[in-house]
Amino acid sequence: MINRTVLVGRLTKDPTISYTQSGIAVCRFTLACNRPFKSGDGEQQADFINCVTWRKQAENTANFLRKGSLAGIEGRIQTSSFDGQDGKRVFMTEVVADSVQFLEPKSNRSEQPNGSYQAPQQQSQPQYSQQDPFDGGAQIEVSDDDLPF
Amino acid sequence: MINRTVLVGRLTKDPTISYTQSGIAVCRFTLACNRPFKSGDGEQQADFINCVTWRKQAENTANFLRKGSLAGIEGRIQTSSFDGQDGKRVFMTEVVADSVQFLEPKSNRSEQPNGSYQAPQQQSQPQYSQQDPFDGGAQIEVSDDDLPF
Amino acid sequence: MINRTVLVGRLTKDPTISYTQSGIAVCRFTLACNRPFKSGDGEQQADFINCVTWRKQAENTANFLRKGSLAGIEGRIQTSSFDGQDGKRVFMTEVVADSVQFLEPKSNRSEQPNGSYQAPQQQSQPQYSQQDPFDGGAQIEVSDDDLPF
Amino acid sequence: MINRTVLVGRLTKDPTISYTQSGIAVCRFTLACNRPFKSGDGEQQADFINCVTWRKQAENTANFLRKGSLAGIEGRIQTSSFDGQDGKRVFMTEVVADSVQFLEPKSNRSEQPNGSYQAPQQQSQPQYSQQDPFDGGAQIEVSDDDLPF
DNA sequence: TTTT
DNA sequence: TTTT
C-alpha cells in the first residue's frame, strides 16, 4: 500500500489553526495548483486541494504562510466521512502533509512571524519548539550579484 | 505548480466504464489504501480514494481489473464542484490517473479479458488499440523454480 | 526543498544486510523497474535502481524479500562520493527508503521468514521488534459492508 | 512498475544544452536539494541530483534557468552504463524530467530570455514553439471571487 | 553486477 | 564538479 502526494501551489486564503482538546495543534489550508493546460476557452484552471498539518508543522504553517504564499507539501491522501447537518453523509478528501516547504523568497516573508498563533493559554510553555522552519529548507538569500537576472 | 500522486491499493468494487458523447472512454474506480498504522482500538484503517482514467487506459482498466485487484496508479488530484440535487454545492476530489499498473500475479487474472466492455456500437472499429496493458508493465511469470519461497 | 521518489519493481538479487559499528542494521538491494516503452528493437528495458533501508525496515527487507520479489518503496534520492581504489572520485546515487512494501501475494511468501538475518550476537535481545511487516500491508479483505459507498 | 520522482531544489550551475544528430534538444542540469536535517557537526547537507530534459522543455530550461534558480521537476529515475576511458564500466543515474517548473518570483527573472540557445542553424524554423513556459506556472493571482470556497 |  |  502506497499513498503519496507531492504538491506545489499557492494558499487560497490565510491558513487556520486550532487545537484539539488535548492541545495538539492542527492547521488547515487550501493549495491552488494550476493545471498545466488551459480549458477549451483558454482560461487558466486550477485544482483547490484541502490540506491539513499537525503539531509543530501546524504552528509553523500558521505563523509563516499567508494567502498567496507559494508552498510545497509532501503527504498522503486521507478520506473520511461524517453526517452533515442535513442528515446526509458527507465525504471528505484532504492531504495530510508530513512536511511543508515555504517556497517564497525571503523578501516576501513578513519580518516578524505572525505572533497571534500560539499554543493555548493554559500552556505556560510553548508546546513545540519555535525553531525556524526554513532551516535546511528553502533558505533563500538571493542577492542580485549571485543571479544573472 | 506540481500536483503528483502515487497510489498502490485494492479496488473496492469492479470498475465502471462509460463513454462521453464524443465516444471517449472514461473509467472510474476506488482504491482502498491501508494506512500504515492502526487506529486506537487496533483496527485496520484505510483511505478510499476515487480515481478516474481515460481512453485506452479506461478500457484496459475496465477489462482487466476487478474488485480486490491490487493496482498502482500515478496521477494528479483534481477537484471540481457541481450543484447537488438538493441545490447544495457538492465538492468532489478524485485522482486522474495517467497510468494504471496491474500488480496481481498472472495466476490471479481472468483467462479472458472481460469482453463486455467495448467502444459503443456505432464504432465499427475499436477506438483504442487492444494491446496488452501488461506489456512492459507488471508482467509476472513467477515459476516456483525462480523464487525461493 | 522536496526530494521524493516512489518505485515499484523487482529485486534483481537477494538483498544484503550488514550492521554499522554501533549495531544499526542497513539493507541494500536493487530494484529493476521496467520502462513503460520498448527500445527501438522491441526489447524490454529497465532501470536498475540501488536502494538502501535502515533499522527495522532493513531486517524486514532482508527477511522477507528475495531476488524477483515485487516491492514498492517510498524514499528520497541520496548522492554521495568517495575516493575509489584507483584514486578517482566515485559518485554514487541511491534511494534511501523510508518504507518498503512487499507486493507479492501471500501464496508466494515463504512460510517462515528467513531466520538467518538477526542482529549480531552480542545483542541478547532483538534490537527491533519482529512484527509482521505485512500487517496493514498488501493484503486486505474488503467486504461491501465495510465500505462507505 | 512505477518510477516517479519529484524534486524541488536549486541549480548548482547554469544548465547546458546540446542537440542530438537528428536535432533534438537535450538539456542537463544538477539540482541541489538540501536535506531536512543537519549532519552531526551542524552542517547543511544536500543531495546533488543530475537531471535531463528533452525537446521544448530542454530549450525552456536552458533559456530561463540559471545557477541558483529554484526549480521543481517531475520525472523518473534512469540508469545507464558505458565503458569509461580507462576501460572500467561506469554506472550513471539521472532523473529524466517530464516537466520543469520555474519557482522563482517574477522579479528574479531576466527580462529577456537568453537568446543564445536556439535550434541549430540548418533549421530555418524554430523546432519547438517558443511559448512562455511560465504560463500556467508559478504565478497566479487568486481573487476571492474565483474560488469556490 | 541485473528483475519478470 | 556543487545551490541557497
Side-chain angles (χ1 to χ4, degrees):
Chain A
M1 301 285 151
I2 289 175
N3 178 350
R4 186 78 351 204
T5 292
V6 180
L7 303 174
V8 173
R10 288 182 184 278
L11 295 240
T12 61
K13 289 187 175 167
D14 287 359
T16 64
I17 196 169
S18 60
Y19 292 87
T20 65
Q21 289 206 326
S22 48
I24 298 173
V26 46
C27 178
R28 287 176 197 277
F29 56 97
T30 299
L31 283 183
C33 295
N34 289 339
R35 296 184 188 160
F37 44 85
K38 300 253 194 320
S39 65
D41 56 359
E43 233 188 313
Q44 174 67 60
Q45 288 187 301
D47 296 292
F48 301 103
I49 302 169
N50 295 321
C51 301
V52 60
T53 191
W54 292 85
R55 299 173 204 271
K56 180 161 62 75
Q57 289 281 11
E59 300 208 328
N60 286 334
T61 302
N63 279 329
F64 291 99
L65 297 185
R66 286 290 165 271
K67 178 180 175 176
S69 297
L70 187 68
I73 66 127
E74 293 183 56
R76 59 187 185 77
I77 297 176
Q78 179 162 92
T79 61
S80 50
S81 63
F82 55 90
D83 290 311
Q85 62 279 64
D86 57 353
K88 275 183 54 178
R89 194 132 201 94
V90 179
F91 294 92
M92 201 173 88
T93 299
E94 59 192 353
V95 176
V96 181
D98 308 320
S99 109
V100 179
Q101 289 294 318
F102 185 39
L103 298 172
E104 296 288 337
K106 236 173 187 156
S107 53
N108 283 13
R109 292 183 208 161
S110 60
E111 279 304 294
Q112 308 284 131
N114 182 326
S116 59
Y117 298 131
Q118 296 297 342
Q121 298 316 87
Q122 68 268 30
Q123 323 245 167
S124 56
Q125 302 292 86
Q127 191 164 21
Y128 314 110
S129 65
Q130 290 299 111
Q131 61 165 83
D132 182 355
F134 311 108
D135 249 352
Q139 312 106 309
I140 303 174
E141 255 127 55
V142 190
S143 101
D144 280 347
D145 306 329
D146 296 337
L147 282 179
F149 298 104
Chain B
M1 302 285 151
I2 289 176
N3 178 347
R4 185 76 354 201
T5 292
V6 180
L7 303 173
V8 173
R10 288 182 185 279
L11 294 241
T12 61
K13 288 188 177 166
D14 287 359
T16 62
I17 196 170
S18 60
Y19 292 86
T20 66
Q21 290 206 325
S22 48
I24 298 172
V26 47
C27 178
R28 286 177 198 275
F29 56 97
T30 299
L31 283 184
C33 295
N34 289 339
R35 297 184 188 160
F37 43 85
K38 300 252 192 322
S39 64
D41 55 359
E43 232 188 316
Q44 173 66 60
Q45 288 187 300
D47 296 291
F48 301 103
I49 302 169
N50 295 320
C51 300
V52 60
T53 192
W54 292 86
R55 299 172 204 273
K56 180 161 63 76
Q57 288 280 12
E59 300 208 327
N60 286 335
T61 301
N63 278 329
F64 292 98
L65 296 185
R66 287 290 165 272
K67 177 180 175 174
S69 298
L70 187 68
I73 68 126
E74 292 182 57
R76 59 187 183 78
I77 297 176
Q78 180 162 91
T79 61
S80 51
S81 63
F82 54 92
D83 290 311
Q85 63 279 63
D86 58 352
K88 275 184 52 180
R89 194 132 201 96
V90 178
F91 294 92
M92 200 172 88
T93 300
E94 59 193 352
V95 176
V96 182
D98 307 320
S99 110
V100 179
Q101 290 294 318
F102 184 40
L103 297 172
E104 296 288 337
K106 235 175 187 156
S107 53
N108 284 13
R109 291 183 208 160
S110 60
E111 281 303 293
Q112 308 284 130
N114 183 324
S116 59
Y117 298 131
Q118 296 297 343
Q121 298 317 87
Q122 68 269 28
Q123 322 245 167
S124 56
Q125 302 292 86
Q127 191 164 20
Y128 313 111
S129 65
Q130 290 300 111
Q131 62 166 82
D132 183 354
F134 311 108
D135 249 354
Q139 311 108 308
I140 303 173
E141 254 128 56
V142 190
S143 102
D144 280 347
D145 307 328
D146 295 337
L147 281 178
F149 300 103
Chain C
M1 302 283 153
I2 290 175
N3 178 349
R4 185 74 357 200
T5 292
V6 180
L7 303 173
V8 174
R10 288 183 183 279
L11 293 241
T12 61
K13 289 187 174 167
D14 287 359
T16 63
I17 196 170
S18 60
Y19 292 86
T20 65
Q21 290 205 326
S22 48
I24 298 173
V26 47
C27 179
R28 286 177 198 275
F29 56 97
T30 299
L31 283 183
C33 296
N34 289 337
R35 296 183 189 161
F37 43 85
K38 299 254 194 320
S39 64
D41 56 359
E43 233 188 314
Q44 173 67 59
Q45 288 187 301
D47 296 292
F48 301 103
I49 302 169
N50 294 321
C51 301
V52 60
T53 191
W54 292 85
R55 299 172 205 272
K56 180 161 62 75
Q57 289 281 11
E59 299 208 328
N60 286 335
T61 301
N63 279 328
F64 291 99
L65 296 186
R66 287 290 165 271
K67 178 180 175 174
S69 298
L70 187 68
I73 67 127
E74 293 182 57
R76 59 188 184 77
I77 297 176
Q78 179 162 92
T79 61
S80 50
S81 63
F82 55 91
D83 289 310
Q85 61 280 65
D86 57 353
K88 275 183 54 179
R89 194 133 201 93
V90 179
F91 294 91
M92 200 172 88
T93 300
E94 60 193 351
V95 176
V96 181
D98 308 319
S99 110
V100 179
Q101 291 293 318
F102 185 40
L103 298 172
E104 296 289 337
K106 240 174 185 153
S107 53
N108 282 12
R109 291 184 209 160
S110 61
E111 281 304 293
Q112 309 284 131
N114 183 326
S116 60
Y117 296 132
Q118 296 297 342
Q121 298 315 88
Q122 67 269 29
Q123 322 244 169
S124 56
Q125 302 292 87
Q127 190 164 20
Y128 314 110
S129 65
Q130 290 299 112
Q131 62 166 81
D132 182 355
F134 311 108
D135 249 352
Q139 291 301 114
I140 59 177
E141 256 115 59
V142 191
S143 108
D144 278 347
D145 306 329
D146 296 337
L147 294 178
F149 301 100
Chain D
M1 302 285 152
I2 289 175
N3 178 347
R4 184 78 352 203
T5 292
V6 180
L7 303 173
V8 173
R10 288 183 184 279
L11 294 241
T12 61
K13 289 188 175 165
D14 287 0
T16 63
I17 195 170
S18 60
Y19 292 86
T20 66
Q21 290 207 327
S22 48
I24 298 173
V26 47
C27 178
R28 286 176 199 274
F29 56 97
T30 298
L31 282 183
C33 296
N34 290 337
R35 296 184 189 160
F37 43 86
K38 299 252 192 322
S39 65
D41 56 358
E43 232 188 316
Q44 173 67 61
Q45 287 188 300
D47 297 291
F48 301 103
I49 302 169
N50 294 320
C51 300
V52 60
T53 192
W54 291 86
R55 300 173 203 271
K56 179 161 62 75
Q57 289 280 12
E59 300 208 327
N60 286 334
T61 301
N63 278 329
F64 292 99
L65 296 185
R66 287 291 166 270
K67 178 179 175 175
S69 298
L70 186 68
I73 67 126
E74 292 182 58
R76 59 188 184 77
I77 297 175
Q78 180 162 91
T79 61
S80 51
S81 63
F82 55 90
D83 290 312
Q85 62 279 64
D86 57 353
K88 274 185 53 179
R89 195 133 202 94
V90 178
F91 294 91
M92 199 172 90
T93 299
E94 60 193 351
V95 176
V96 182
D98 307 320
S99 110
V100 179
Q101 290 293 320
F102 185 39
L103 297 173
E104 296 289 338
K106 239 173 186 155
S107 53
N108 283 11
R109 290 185 210 160
S110 61
E111 281 304 294
Q112 309 284 130
N114 182 326
S116 60
Y117 297 131
Q118 296 297 342
Q121 299 316 87
Q122 69 269 28
Q123 322 244 167
S124 55
Q125 302 291 87
Q127 191 164 19
Y128 314 111
S129 65
Q130 289 300 110
Q131 62 167 80
D132 182 355
F134 310 109
D135 249 353
Q139 292 301 115
I140 59 176
E141 258 115 59
V142 190
S143 107
D144 277 346
D145 306 329
D146 296 338
L147 294 178
F149 300 101

